[in-house]
Amino acid sequence: MRQSAERGTRERILEVAEASLGEHGYHGTRLHDIAHRVGIQKASLFHYFPSKEQLYRAVLDEGFGHAEQTIARVLASEGSALDKVRALVAAYVDMVAAHPARTKLLLRQSLGDAPSGYHSADSERLLRQVASFVTEAQRQHLLAPIDPLGIVLGVVGMVAFFFTSAPVLAPNWLPDPWGSASIERVKRHVVSVVERCLTGGGAPDDEAAALPAQPSTVQPSR
Amino acid sequence: MRQSAERGTRERILEVAEASLGEHGYHGTRLHDIAHRVGIQKASLFHYFPSKEQLYRAVLDEGFGHAEQTIARVLASEGSALDKVRALVAAYVDMVAAHPARTKLLLRQSLGDAPSGYHSADSERLLRQVASFVTEAQRQHLLAPIDPLGIVLGVVGMVAFFFTSAPVLAPNWLPDPWGSASIERVKRHVVSVVERCLTGGGAPDDEAAALPAQPSTVQPSR
DNA sequence: GTCTATATAGGGATAGAC
DNA sequence: GTCTATCCCTATATAGAC
């Protein structure tokens, strides 16, 4: 909206910062490194972002925004409920594989990497959108009645884990973690798992607990 | 094996350090905090551990050791293959729920929280043990032929994600994340998912890729 | 084995020239 | 908008008394 020179540098900073924050976490990231990799001096960063924390938030917002767009696009597409589920998984896997640093960053954030409790309402809304879609399809008996949010959270965690942690824990499983062969393999695997969980088959997995929101039994004082 | 006074303090340091490292990560953890919570002065820590990094390794080793014992015990127990799978899941969920900080720590470690690449061969060996068990049971047609390491890694990531990230991303799902009600709920859910994946049912999910170790097609230059 | 005091370094942030 | 120089604080680690 303003100077054209500023835009380019700002975006490069965000890009490099995402990589660095994903790789080393908030506290492990050095502003000096970011500046160096961008090709400017550390002090120049403060012309674009007033503090490390604000840079962090900017990177985070961009990551969530991108994810939200992707999800919304797939949910709005055509096809059966099961088709959409497959498409959601595929899109999510593609996104994770295309942006490993961003994925690490979001994982770290949910582990509590933030300086102070920076809590994004975006993540909740995003998950609810997908879970609601599953719930609705289940109400119409298009999908098997397994705990919807459980499945969604499970897939999110599983896929993220495949691409971020698995290469460290089991380097032989995905020999080339971000190659297209690995992406397709994970996609097939996860789609397979999800299909087995969301189609016909087995016992209805405690329908009672499927969408409680306020189970009345908890809060053991401690 | 030596002084009784040392043992107690050393263990308390390890305990507190695990909590702190899990909560804030390596770079976010302050030795001053650990010392303060143990009730000693910061300098006294260096009597037990020569550096922050060595303390980190000690905590990590203890975590892996504990996990390995648990896995080994369950694998050595009696019962059918499916029984053992259920028991493995249950034991793993219990472990994660009982030691949230340790779980966070191991997750962080696999994201690359280490100061320098401290790579534990333990994790690989541990995963291979479980995956081998699944593979063997599949060879005897006791379990469905889904990618073994994929299932194991998936469960590991899924459960860890439920207890560490889900409370942040979807606080309504597990209202009391570490209460017994939540533990049982996650256990039922994961067992349900695993059963659907490892029993009869669907298509054989690319058996070819099930245990390649060296797929000959990869290494797309970059 | 625990303390107080201190050395040393590194990183976030600011001032001000150009 | 980018630089150099510098402030200021905090964190790891050490020295040495008790």
Side-chain angles (χ1 to χ4, degrees), chain A residues 41-116:
Chain A
Q41 287 300 312
K42 184 176 53 167
S44 303
L45 288 178
F46 292 91
H47 177 72
Y48 297 92
F49 301 93
S51 73
K52 186 182 183 182
E53 192 166 342
Q54 301 244 13
L55 171 58
Y56 178 70
R57 289 195 54 147
V59 172
L60 221 52
D61 285 342
E62 194 159 279
F64 273 117
H66 191 258
E68 188 158 14
Q69 285 177 13
T70 303
I71 302 297
R73 183 169 359 105
V74 176
L75 280 181
S77 69
E78 292 295 310
S80 72
L82 197 57
D83 283 341
K84 281 190 188 175
V85 168
R86 288 196 196 96
L88 275 173
V89 170
Y92 177 57
V93 171
D94 283 334
M95 193 178 68
V96 168
H99 302 280
R102 175 179 300 167
T103 305
K104 283 192 179 188
L105 182 62
L106 298 182
L107 267 185
R108 287 186 195 276
Q109 164 64 16
S110 70
L111 283 175
D113 201 38
S116 55

Side-chain angles (χ1 to χ4, degrees), chain A residues 19-220:
Chain A
S20 208
L21 288 166
E23 200 59 36
H24 307 110
Y26 181 83
H27 295 287
T29 293
R30 312 290 148 190
L31 291 184
H32 172 81
D33 286 1
I34 296 179
H36 184 71
R37 286 164 64 179
V38 171
I40 59 179
Q41 287 300 312
K42 184 176 53 167
S44 303
L45 288 178
F46 292 91
H47 177 72
Y48 297 92
F49 301 93
S51 73
K52 186 182 183 182
E53 192 166 342
Q54 301 244 13
L55 171 58
Y56 178 70
R57 289 195 54 147
V59 172
L60 221 52
D61 285 342
E62 194 159 279
F64 273 117
H66 191 258
E68 188 158 14
Q69 285 177 13
T70 303
I71 302 297
R73 183 169 359 105
V74 176
L75 280 181
S77 69
E78 292 295 310
S80 72
L82 197 57
D83 283 341
K84 281 190 188 175
V85 168
R86 288 196 196 96
L88 275 173
V89 170
Y92 177 57
V93 171
D94 283 334
M95 193 178 68
V96 168
H99 302 280
R102 175 179 300 167
T103 305
K104 283 192 179 188
L105 182 62
L106 298 182
L107 267 185
R108 287 186 195 276
Q109 164 64 16
S110 70
L111 283 175
D113 201 38
S116 55
Y118 163 64
H119 183 260
S120 161
D122 294 335
S123 55
E124 284 189 61
R125 186 161 35 80
L126 221 153
L127 282 170
R128 237 198 317 270
Q129 282 177 13
V130 181
S132 300
F133 157 72
V134 174
T135 305
E136 177 58 21
Q138 288 174 329
R139 225 178 44 76
Q140 301 175 16
H141 299 90
L142 300 172
L143 297 175
I146 196 173
D147 182 345
L149 199 46
I151 278 291
V152 174
L153 284 170
V155 170
V156 170
M158 197 163 56
V159 173
F161 192 77
F162 282 148
F163 284 99
T164 57
S165 302
V168 174
L169 297 179
N172 288 334
W173 192 58
L174 294 180
D176 173 34
W178 295 285
S180 59
S182 294
I183 297 175
E184 291 311 313
R185 179 174 184 181
V186 169
K187 226 181 268 186
R188 277 198 309 274
H189 179 74
V190 177
V191 166
S192 162
V193 169
V194 171
E195 277 180 355
R196 286 170 194 246
C197 291
L198 284 177
T199 57
D205 181 44
D206 63 328
E207 280 176 87
L211 257 189
Q214 302 95 330
S216 48
T217 62
V218 282
Q219 240 61 324

